[in-house]
Amino acid sequence: MHILVTGGAGFIGSHVVDRLVAAGDTVRILDALLPAVHRIRPEVNDAAELTVADVTDRSQVEAALDGVDAVCHQAAMVGLGADLDDLPAYATHNDLGTAVLLAAMAGRGVRRLVLASSMVVYGEGGYRCPVDGPVCPGLRLPADLDAGRFEPPCPCCGRPLESTLVTEDAPLDPRSVYAATKVAQEHLAAAWAAVTGGSVLALRYHNVYGPRMPRDTPYAGVASIFRSALERGEPPRVFEDGGQLRDFVHVHDVAQANLHALRYPGAPGELIPLNIGSGEPHTVGDMASVLAQAFGGPMPVVTGSYRAGDVRHVVASSARARDFFEYQPRVAFSDGVNAFACDPLRS
Ligand code: UD1
């Protein structure tokens, strides 16, 4: 196939490009090489054709779509960001960029899209109350967090909740600017599919880590923040009590999921969301300890402090992706994190 990978010089996109090239696909990359992510110019796969341009640039996007069968849209600003000064940049890169891409695809007759979405569209993960059954907890209150009460209570009866796997039919509850832009991307892509008869697979990545992860910036995930601290000789600083659950999925598994998704025909006129996780929930405390151990210390410090807006537990059910295209994560947590202790981070 002839595939355009937007953001193909980035952390996840570059692994997708490598897989596609290895599988014999013809790959074109459109990447703005944003300085917030790329402090130095990254290497890209020689076999791919690189256009350095922003996805908001309609004429460049149209040129990049020439002869393309499918688009893998990875270009985005990710993470929590620095502050609300970032808001216009998030909306521009993520939502205006997606709108320009979709309009150009409609004009050029390209009908297949794989969209990089995120588990942040859910807000909190799945929860069950022993009395009220499945529930969606609200925002955690500062008074509770200050007192070290990190678990969100049942919104109906206040009892403690059990964390459950989040499935794709969970309500959307974006709780950050980034999350709001990811929800908007999905909605724009769904509207595009309905009008054009195109098909979209929205891959809701859980917490991705692995080689080429950017060094810690306000836009980096926790694995990179911990790894960068270790490189500086500092202990990873674990927020809350370290018991928050995440689904840490290795970038090689995420790249493979993209390869499968690009080959899957999808449903004309529809957007299908699919969780892409590891099937192996771990706490943030586990991530810090296993990584610190593999790096040779220093061991993590659990701070008891918290980050405003963070959710407590999010763990994926990846059953739907498994049913659709036999998605099977292969990198076990201990193997992936031990290797990540030595993996090069991107500067
Ligand atoms: C966040 C972002 C999301 C992004 C994802 C991966 C939101 C609300 N969250 O999700 O945009 O897709 O990162 O990049 O938009 N932690 C520590 N110590 C630190 C930093 C973080 O203990 O130094 C904890 C956090 O409190 C959190 C967990 O690690 O509980 C995971 O943090 P992070 O990697 O930022 O991921 P998410 O919050 O899951």
Side-chain angles (χ1 to χ4, degrees):
M1 288 171 82
H2 192 161
I3 295 164
L4 173 65
V5 182
T6 70
F11 166 43
I12 298 173
S14 67
H15 285 279
V16 174
V17 168
D18 289 351
R19 290 267 153 155
L20 291 171
V21 166
D25 293 295
T26 302
V27 181
R28 188 173 295 141
I29 296 171
L30 183 84
D31 198 302
L33 304 182
L34 291 182
V37 186
H38 302 282
R39 280 173 272 195
I40 57 172
R41 192 182 169 98
E43 283 177 27
V44 296
N45 193 306
D46 290 345
E49 182 190 331
L50 171 66
T51 301
V52 180
D54 202 287
V55 76
T56 56
D57 183 334
R58 175 85 181 246
S59 59
Q60 293 274 15
V61 172
E62 286 193 346
L65 283 170
D66 197 34
V68 156
D69 302 306
V71 175
C72 184
H73 184 32
Q74 307 289 323
M77 270 181 77
V78 300
L80 270 177
D83 52 42
L84 285 183
D85 277 349
D86 280 344
L87 208 160
Y90 272 103
T92 302
H93 290 296
N94 297 359
D95 296 335
L96 178 60
T98 300
V100 170
L101 175 67
L102 293 170
M105 286 174 71
R108 291 272 164 157
V110 181
R111 295 283 179 266
R112 283 170 77 162
L113 176 67
V114 172
L115 174 68
S117 187
S118 167
M119 58 55 162
V120 294
V121 300
Y122 300 121
E124 283 284 357
Y127 289 87
R128 168 178 289 280
C129 170
V131 175
D132 297 298
V135 290
C136 301
L139 291 178
R140 295 183 293 169
L141 301 175
D144 285 336
L145 295 166
D146 288 337
R149 290 188 294 271
F150 299 119
E151 295 292 336
C154 175
C156 308
C157 68
R159 283 187 177 77
L161 298 172
E162 178 201 343
S163 156
T164 59
L165 301 184
V166 70
T167 51
E168 292 84 351
D169 54 3
L172 302 181
D173 183 13
R175 295 188 178 190
S176 67
V177 167
Y178 170 61
T181 64
K182 282 282 145 186
V183 170
Q185 278 190 323
E186 286 199 8
H187 286 158
L188 292 170
W192 169 87
V195 173
T196 61
S199 65
V200 186
L201 291 188
L203 304 186
R204 292 179 178 165
Y205 303 154
H206 283 250
N207 294 65
V208 187
Y209 73 99
R212 304 182 203 153
M213 199 170 181
R215 264 166 218 288
D216 63 347
T217 68
Y219 313 96
V222 70
S224 148
I225 294 172
F226 288 166
R227 174 59 212 288
S228 304
L230 289 164
E231 267 182 21
R232 293 192 303 266
E234 295 168 12
R237 291 172 56 77
V238 179
F239 297 151
E240 306 186 16
D241 57 2
Q244 38 308 27
L245 284 167
R246 289 293 186 279
D247 198 330
F248 292 103
V249 57
H250 196 272
V251 70
H252 289 162
D253 287 326
V254 172
Q256 189 63 29
N258 275 277
L259 192 94
H260 286 311
L262 284 159
R263 286 167 177 29
Y264 186 83
E270 282 181 38
L271 175 143
I272 300 172
L274 296 169
N275 282 333
I276 302 297
S278 69
E280 226 192 317
H282 282 275
T283 65
V284 171
D286 278 350
M287 168 54 90
S289 313
V290 174
L291 191 57
Q293 188 78 46
F295 197 85
M299 292 311 282
V301 172
V302 178
T303 65
S305 57
Y306 62 89
R307 216 168 51 175
D310 267 349
V311 296
R312 179 65 177 169
H313 306 298
V314 196
V315 182
S317 164
S318 301
R320 190 191 268 184
R322 194 172 56 234
D323 292 346
F324 269 59
F325 46 65
E326 295 178 9
Y327 169 65
Q328 183 65 55
R330 302 207 180 275
V331 184
F333 179 78
S334 56
D335 295 342
V337 177
N338 274 291
F340 184 59
C342 314
D343 280 338
L345 297 175
R346 281 244 172 124
S347 292

